Amino acid sequence: MSGWQRAFVLHSRPFSETSLLIDFFTEGEGKIRLLAKGARRNRSPLRGCLQPFTPLLIRWGGKGEIKTLINAEPISLSLPLSGSVLYSGLYLNELVTRVIEFGTPYSALFFDYLSCLQLLAASERTPEAALRQFELALLSYLGYGVDFLHCAGSGEPVTDTMTYRYREEKGFIGSLVIDQLSFTGLQLKALATREFPDSDTLKAAKRFTRIALKPYLGGKPLKSRELFRQFVLPAANK
């Protein structure tokens, strides 16, 4: 049996008429999959708390490939994500579910995840900066080592107004070509510090993280993006 660990629900699905199979993101064990027996019953004490964005303490046990959830208690109320920010939270959960493997500890990333959710819940403006910061943190923990501050090959420091083109597994190389793989030195410095002072650096960060995350996500589209396009964008354009 495990001790208590802090955790969040990433995804759940019915396992039987009364049970759920749940993917959790835990502080000490990373992503794990647990069977929550009886959690679908109306009178189950687990029914109300096993929701995304609710900070939990959980315990589990068992000897099989899929362990059994023994107990779960909310640490606090669910983080209040609503409107377009809710879709940002769903994207965050889908990203963690799709990218990190089961059973590998990501304790520092867990707190980056928590911080991102808190920023989303408190945000009265665009959630873009919080999402880009988390994506860059995730890439870093995955071992995606990119030097944003030096030109690949020469090692020269990047210059704000120069243009650099990204080459996979190599880094950024000075170039006169302007396309989707091109970034200014100023944009690269923003990526290095994970601080985006204006819309230009924020858009560049989104462009870069999509390029960098693509190999990890494969060709399968993200459901959260599809839902955002289906429900949020049409409403915003009315």
Side-chain angles (χ1 to χ4, degrees):
M1 182 188 299
S2 73
W4 290 97
Q5 281 201 38
R6 285 182 278 197
F8 282 91
V9 171
L10 293 173
H11 175 72
S12 67
R13 61 182 183 273
F15 182 78
S16 66
E17 290 186 5
T18 60
S19 300
L20 291 170
L21 203 58
I22 304 178
D23 290 347
F24 290 93
F25 189 23
T26 69
E27 179 183 354
E29 302 293 329
K31 187 176 70 173
I32 61 171
R33 179 168 292 168
L34 300 177
L35 177 62
K37 292 181 178 179
R40 299 182 69 195
R41 292 194 181 104
N42 290 333
R43 295 184 179 181
S44 171
L46 296 174
R47 187 180 176 91
C49 68
L50 295 178
Q51 304 296 328
F53 319 127
T54 300
L56 299 170
L57 284 173
I58 67 172
R59 290 189 302 159
W60 65 91
K63 296 182 180 179
E65 183 178 346
I66 298 178
K67 305 296 191 293
T68 300
L69 180 68
I70 295 171
N71 205 350
E73 296 180 1
I75 299 173
S76 65
L77 296 175
S78 295
L79 292 162
L81 304 186
S82 60
S84 61
V85 175
L86 172 60
Y87 292 90
S88 296
L90 294 175
Y91 166 73
L92 195 67
N93 280 1
E94 189 174 11
L95 192 61
V96 173
T97 299
R98 291 269 298 270
V99 171
I100 71 171
E101 65 274 18
F102 284 101
T104 300
Y106 285 98
S107 297
L109 183 64
F110 178 85
F111 287 101
D112 284 315
Y113 171 87
L114 173 59
S115 176
C116 186
L117 284 181
Q118 290 171 331
L119 288 170
L120 291 177
S123 178
E124 296 179 357
R125 298 176 294 175
T126 174
E128 294 285 331
L131 293 177
R132 302 295 84 81
Q133 288 164 355
F134 179 79
E135 288 167 340
L136 289 166
L138 175 60
L139 286 164
S140 175
Y141 294 125
L142 290 170
Y144 193 93
V146 175
D147 186 349
F148 295 109
L149 299 179
H150 298 87
C151 186
S154 70
E156 291 290 325
V158 300
T159 303
D160 288 1
T161 55
M162 279 284 292
T163 300
Y164 302 86
R165 197 163 188 270
Y166 176 67
R167 292 188 180 178
E168 190 174 351
E169 297 182 356
K170 290 185 178 180
F172 294 91
I173 297 174
S175 174
L176 297 176
V177 177
I178 305 296
D179 59 15
Q180 285 297 103
L181 296 176
S182 302
F183 300 83
T184 66
L186 190 63
Q187 292 168 343
L188 294 182
K189 289 178 181 179
L191 285 164
T193 60
R194 301 178 194 171
E195 296 292 335
F196 314 107
D198 51 43
S199 61
D200 178 67
T201 53
L202 195 54
K203 288 177 182 177
K206 184 174 185 177
R207 186 156 48 90
F208 174 76
T209 56
R210 287 204 172 185
I211 293 167
L213 285 168
K214 189 175 181 179
Y216 296 98
L217 294 170
K220 187 178 177 182
L222 289 161
K223 292 180 180 179
S224 51
R225 282 182 186 162
E226 292 178 348
L227 289 171
F228 183 84
R229 293 190 189 104
Q230 184 177 353
F231 295 106
V232 178
L233 291 182
N237 292 328
K238 286 183 179 179

